[in-house]
Amino acid sequence: MTRYIISRLLQSVVVLLVIVTASFFIMKATPGSPLAKDRQLDEATEQQLMERYHLDKPAFTQYLIYLGNLAQGDLGESIKLKSPVSQIIKESAKYSLIIGTQAMLFALLLGVPLGLIAGLKQNTPTDYAAMGTALVGVSIPNFVLAPIFILIFAAGLGWFDSGGWDSWKDSILPSASLGFYYAAYIARLTRSGMLEVIRQDYIRTARAKGLSEKTVVLRHALRGALLPVVSYLGPAFAAALTGSVVIEKVYNVPGLGSHFVNGAFNRDYFLVLGVIVIYSALLVFLNLAVDLMYTFLDPRVSYDSES
Amino acid sequence: MTVCALMTIAVASSSCRGGGGVPADIFAMALGSDPETFDPGVMSGSVEGRVAYNIYEGLVSPPPDDGPPRPGVAERWEVSPDGLTYTFYLRSNALWSNGDPVTADDFVYAWMRMLRHDVAAEYINFVRYLKNARAFEEAIIAGQEPQVEVGVRSQGPQILVVELEEPVPYFIDIVMFYTMFPVHRASIERHGQEAAFAPENIVTNGAFRLAEYRIQNAVKLRKNERYWDADSVRLRGIDMLIIENLSAQVAAFDDGRIDWTYDPPDDQLAILATRDEFRVAPQLGTYYYRFNVTRPPLDDVRVRRALSLAVNRANLCRCTLDGKMPATAHVAPMPGYTSPTGLVEYDPREARRLLAEAGYPGGRGFPRIEILYNTSENHRTVAQAIQDMWQLELNIDVGLNNQEWRVYLETMNQLDYHVARAGWIGDYVDPNTFLEMWRGDDQNNDTGFANPEYDRLIDAGFAETDPAARERILQEAETLLLTEMPVMPVYYYAQEHLVRTSVRGWEMNVRDVHLGKYIWKE
């Protein structure tokens, strides 16, 4: 097991290196300079800035300098915001983390009960209503959903502000918009899990024992039905954390995603690379965590080569 | 696209709920992006300016309206008859936010650090007006010890003497600009050129101080109790919320989270214009098209003039650009200068005649040209309208070429275009800010246009100290520019604002600079 983890960690480093290398040269190959302005920089000033960010050196030298700094944990400096990338990421990651976590909580709190009820009342109007909602949730992309939520809950009902981040309250709409898709997906997973489990022999046995329906469903059936949901949570959480780019833009959330988008537009090389490094590290390690979790959830999965 | 459309619906349908959210002694406003820096010597944008004008104060201070400049750190100033020497008398009670007095040396230090290249100053050209500035800078670039004395020195703590290389008739306007603000030398020596301007270290001398900065969220300013004129400052603070999306800015205004927002999306103007909070005024800026004069068929002045004459600007502004003013010259309207008339007109018959004279009767044989513009709904609308007019009036083949902002800048800089959309916002209230860039050697030219007579007129404009004679020289230069037509003016920019009706002391002005020290709310 330990050997497996070590080898996976080493693989992760290679994966990250490939991602950084590819991203670096793609950024460099993109036309346009981070120092370009409609009012052109003074030549002497431009020269000063080029030297400062090593932009006057060949691309490969720049790459080596960047890798060297990265190895020491230095993500460089944002050309546009003129502050260290690590500091910018530290400040903004918390917003993305809050929204991502809340979106997952929202998804579970909405998705599981919805799927449960639908599964128990299969082929009734309740089931159709729940699954209809889920279908809508899975089909509507969040960049459509988010403005609709603004229209209803901010502009229409006036319960929330249309964007910005002053207090926790401002995180509700973004979290809900982001979590809606996952809620829908979880509802479908729970329903099909429920349908499968409810026909199993051990459920019939539990009922035969004379247990109340409530106990049968909540103590016996739900546990089995939620297995697919649990294994979905890992990748979903990673996707929610890194996938909030659009939501952050729409709601003007000062999170990582906005830096990713603006950084690309501004050719702010180090900011974009920094966010890419963080995003990919998150994805790689969350995937590793999920793989390891399988061994605990499902005894049939084992990563030990000797067994 | 979808997002924009839906946001527009969301915003358009929202009802105005009034400014309940902002306390009465706080003025809340939108900021279009994060300020790149709080160092006035380094900054170059309007967003940075909105912060800088409130936390710093220069020798001379911009007025709330279009009136004369107001005293700032300098109580008064004198100009020598030859226009070369300025003497500023600093007030004794001007203090930095840490209690240190603001002295003439602070200005000397602030200006010299740019020339010494201690910082990468984007508006370094403003300090190059100083006597011997260029020679000093050349020595610095060559890595030598400068042997010259630059024309800025203090005579005691309260007198600053400035000598210029040649007369700069609008120098007081330059002194008002944030590039010329003082910086706190002791902080820089303690923390370094950059860290001294970090929110936790920054020391400023304006009516407000920087209290808090959260990236992509807000810049919060609070009243500086040490400011010499603190008694007349009525606000407790200014909250600047960073909101990038223009529709979201309007939504924030409707939510009651901000009292002022500017540049609302063009497609909402018609709706917004009916509201009490809407204010519009001319801005010191021109929207124009560049012609690449090095590339046939645009190397022929007759072709350039024909293209300009075929554009019906009045129609364009009425139909597609609500409230914009059709351009009649290149220099945007400003007090103290009248542009030549009759050079930017709509005359399709003359256009066809010129085109025929250039060898393309009825548009025959005219090669396909493309209009280059950067990605934006607004630029596309204008380009399409002009494309239609050219095709209709001149029977020529015109294509559209849309590029992302930074790609567009590169393409234009490399002269790899036929016709390109452009815009210019004046840095100071003087025609020179629109005219100097068309000198053959100016790096903002980007048209290939070079005319020795034009360069001579621009130089003569500097040398002339009599305002009336100088105006005539600059008019001559503008006439030459519009006759040779490397640029085709389209319309003048307008400033559009939404200002809460309870806000007082907020005036429209051509510089679009609004100091919190004059503002209060009822």
Side-chain angles (χ1 to χ4, degrees), chain B residues 83 86 164 166-173 430 461-465 470:
Chain B
Y86 286 69
L164 305 181
E166 53 186 355
V168 179
Y170 47 88
F171 189 67
I172 287 297
D173 233 275
D430 187 276
F462 277 101
E464 181 57 63
T465 46
R470 179 167 178 269

Side-chain angles (χ1 to χ4, degrees), chain B residues 173-222:
Chain B
D173 233 275
I174 297 295
V175 165
M176 213 148 59
F177 198 69
Y178 51 68
T179 306
M180 309 306 269
F181 287 171
V183 292
H184 189 249
R185 183 175 187 165
S187 309
I188 293 175
E189 281 167 356
R190 187 150 151 230
H191 300 288
Q193 292 288 358
E194 276 162 49
F197 297 92
E200 61 272 21
N201 300 329
I202 191 168
V203 175
T204 59
N205 73 325
F208 297 86
R209 61 188 166 77
L210 179 63
E212 189 186 348
Y213 169 46
R214 280 178 291 148
I215 294 183
Q216 295 206 334
N217 196 334
V219 179
K220 294 193 174 176
L221 312 184
R222 288 297 170 263

Side-chain angles (χ1 to χ4, degrees), chain B residues 45-95:
Chain B
S46 64
V47 161
E48 290 74 16
R50 299 224 186 265
V51 181
Y53 280 112
N54 282 307
I55 62 175
Y56 290 95
E57 184 172 62
L59 292 163
V60 182
S61 176
D65 45 24
D66 286 328
R70 305 240 172 139
V73 174
E75 273 173 324
R76 61 196 174 87
W77 53 91
E78 289 162 3
V79 190
S80 65
D82 61 3
L84 286 172
T85 308
Y86 286 69
T87 311
F88 295 93
Y89 299 91
L90 278 59
R91 61 185 77 247
S92 56
N93 56 346
L95 298 178

Side-chain angles (χ1 to χ4, degrees), chain A residues 32-34 36-37 39-42 45 48 52 80 151 161-163 165 249 252 254 258 262 265 267, chain B residues 13 36 44 117 121-123 128 194 216 242 244 251 255 257 404 406 410 413 424 427 443-444 446:
Chain A
S33 149
K37 300 207 165 189
R39 182 185 314 272
Q40 279 178 40
L41 281 182
D42 177 80
T45 308
Q48 262 179 289
R52 173 165 164 184
K80 170 97 177 154
L151 187 61
D161 284 340
S162 54
W165 191 294
K249 263 299 202 199
N252 204 36
S258 320
N262 291 346
F265 278 129
R267 309 288 188 275
Chain B
S13 60
E36 292 184 20
S44 65
H117 290 194
E122 299 199 8
Y123 274 114
R128 287 195 186 129
E194 276 162 49
Q216 295 206 334
I242 297 159
E244 292 184 351
D255 285 348
R257 286 188 289 140
E404 186 260 356
R406 273 162 209 275
E410 200 166 291
N413 193 222
W424 190 258
D427 291 326
Q443 53 171 359
N444 281 313
D446 283 350

Side-chain angles (χ1 to χ4, degrees), chain A residues 30-46 48-49 52-53 77 79-83 87-88 91-92 94-95 143-145 147-148 150-151 154-158 160-166 170 246 248-250 252-259 262 264-267, chain B residues 2-3 6-7 9-11 13-15 17 33-37 42 44-45 48 114 117-125 128 137 141 194 213-217 220 241-245 248 251-252 255 257 290 404-410 412-413 423-427 433 443-446:
Chain A
T30 316
S33 149
L35 302 178
K37 300 207 165 189
D38 51 351
R39 182 185 314 272
Q40 279 178 40
L41 281 182
D42 177 80
E43 273 166 49
T45 308
E46 185 167 16
Q48 262 179 289
L49 289 170
R52 173 165 164 184
Y53 298 109
E77 188 186 320
I79 301 174
K80 170 97 177 154
L81 296 170
K82 298 188 169 68
S83 23
Q87 190 193 325
I88 295 173
E91 270 179 49
S92 52
K94 66 167 184 264
Y95 300 105
F143 60 83
V144 176
L145 193 67
I148 291 179
I150 294 180
L151 187 61
L157 298 169
F160 301 97
D161 284 340
S162 54
W165 191 294
D166 286 328
D170 293 320
V246 178
E248 288 179 15
K249 263 299 202 199
V250 175
N252 204 36
V253 174
L256 267 187
S258 320
H259 289 302
N262 291 346
F265 278 129
N266 293 326
R267 309 288 188 275
Chain B
T2 322
V3 180
L6 285 163
M7 288 290 289
I9 298 169
V11 170
S13 60
S14 72
S15 56
R17 279 185 299 274
S33 70
D34 278 285
E36 292 184 20
T37 171
V42 171
S44 65
E48 290 74 16
M114 294 186 250
H117 290 194
D118 290 345
V119 288
E122 299 199 8
Y123 274 114
I124 195 164
N125 48 319
R128 287 195 186 129
E137 214 188 334
I141 291 172
E194 276 162 49
Y213 169 46
R214 280 178 291 148
I215 294 183
Q216 295 206 334
N217 196 334
K220 294 193 174 176
L241 307 191
I242 297 159
I243 307 173
E244 292 184 351
N245 183 291
D255 285 348
R257 286 188 289 140
R290 277 189 166 94
E404 186 260 356
W405 176 241
R406 273 162 209 275
V407 183
Y408 148 89
L409 288 178
E410 200 166 291
M412 201 153 63
N413 193 222
W424 190 258
I425 308 288
D427 291 326
T433 188
Q443 53 171 359
N444 281 313
N445 182 315
D446 283 350

Side-chain angles (χ1 to χ4, degrees), chain B residues 372-430:
Chain B
L372 170 71
Y373 63 97
N374 59 296
T375 313
S376 139
E377 194 78 354
N378 195 19
H379 302 330
R380 187 169 55 92
T381 315
V382 176
Q384 281 171 342
I386 290 180
Q387 175 193 34
D388 274 356
M389 291 174 186
W390 284 348
Q391 284 174 342
L392 207 72
E393 305 283 10
L394 304 175
N395 190 31
I396 58 174
D397 186 11
V398 182
L400 298 183
N401 180 10
N402 161 216
Q403 294 184 348
E404 186 260 356
W405 176 241
R406 273 162 209 275
V407 183
Y408 148 89
L409 288 178
E410 200 166 291
T411 311
M412 201 153 63
N413 193 222
Q414 289 166 354
L415 286 183
D416 186 18
Y417 70 93
H418 298 109
V419 183
R421 163 277 136 182
W424 190 258
I425 308 288
D427 291 326
Y428 42 87
V429 187
D430 187 276

